[in-house]
Amino acid sequence: MATRRPAQRSWAPAVLVAVLALALGGVTVAIEVGSRRLAADSHAEEAAAEAAVTRDAQAYGAAVVATGDPAPTDERLAAAAEGAQVQVRQVHRTPDLVVVVYGSAPVGTLFGASYVDACHRVSFHDLGTATAGSAVERLADCPPPVARPSPS
């Protein structure tokens, strides 16, 4: 009687499956790392754009103070806004001058460009004196622009 030998199986399919599994795992990890890096870069760009809008509002406050005018007119406030790259949304003159300004800064995204829009309340004190200054506070929501009568 002849003895039967067990058939030898090839290890090639098992090795191929293991290599494919490792490759798939590596690709998955690479995609996850890339997406986290992209998200971190996006958050950093957005924070930089928000800081730029806040700097513009601070520059507006400094420009109004630099005029030395104790009661700047709407025209003078608008001129200072142009120089600081913001738009005047609201002006309150009592008890002290408070101006709400709107600013925008571009943010690069994966699929084009976006913008960070923000409004800041710029509160002025002691205008027209040596101790004049301003304080800037970011608002959660932007008020609608005030319609100004057009000159006729």
Side-chain angles (χ1 to χ4, degrees):
M1 211 166 155
T3 359
R4 240 177 164 192
R5 263 182 164 184
Q8 285 189 342
R9 291 188 193 181
S10 172
W11 286 93
V15 170
L16 181 61
V17 167
V19 168
L20 287 175
L22 286 174
L24 181 63
V27 167
T28 303
V29 168
I31 290 172
E32 181 65 25
V33 168
S35 67
R36 287 182 187 212
R37 184 175 296 144
L38 183 63
D41 290 347
S42 175
H43 290 305
E45 282 189 32
E46 189 172 329
E50 287 179 7
V53 173
T54 299
R55 281 192 303 275
D56 289 346
Q58 291 167 339
Y60 173 75
V64 171
V65 169
T67 65
D69 191 349
T73 63
D74 286 349
E75 290 77 23
R76 187 166 275 184
L77 293 174
E82 265 185 45
Q85 300 176 351
V86 295
Q87 296 173 358
V88 173
R89 287 284 175 109
Q90 291 180 348
V91 177
H92 304 281
R93 296 188 184 276
T94 54
D96 288 326
L97 179 63
V98 176
V99 180
V100 175
V101 294
Y102 163 83
S104 182
V107 177
T109 64
L110 182 62
F111 301 107
S114 180
Y115 289 88
V116 169
D117 301 323
C119 283
H120 291 82
R121 178 182 299 120
V122 184
S123 304
F124 297 95
H125 59 86
D126 303 328
L127 285 176
T129 68
T131 59
S134 63
V136 175
E137 173 190 359
R138 181 166 180 177
L139 301 176
D141 294 318
C142 287
V146 175
R148 304 208 189 299
S150 60
S152 320

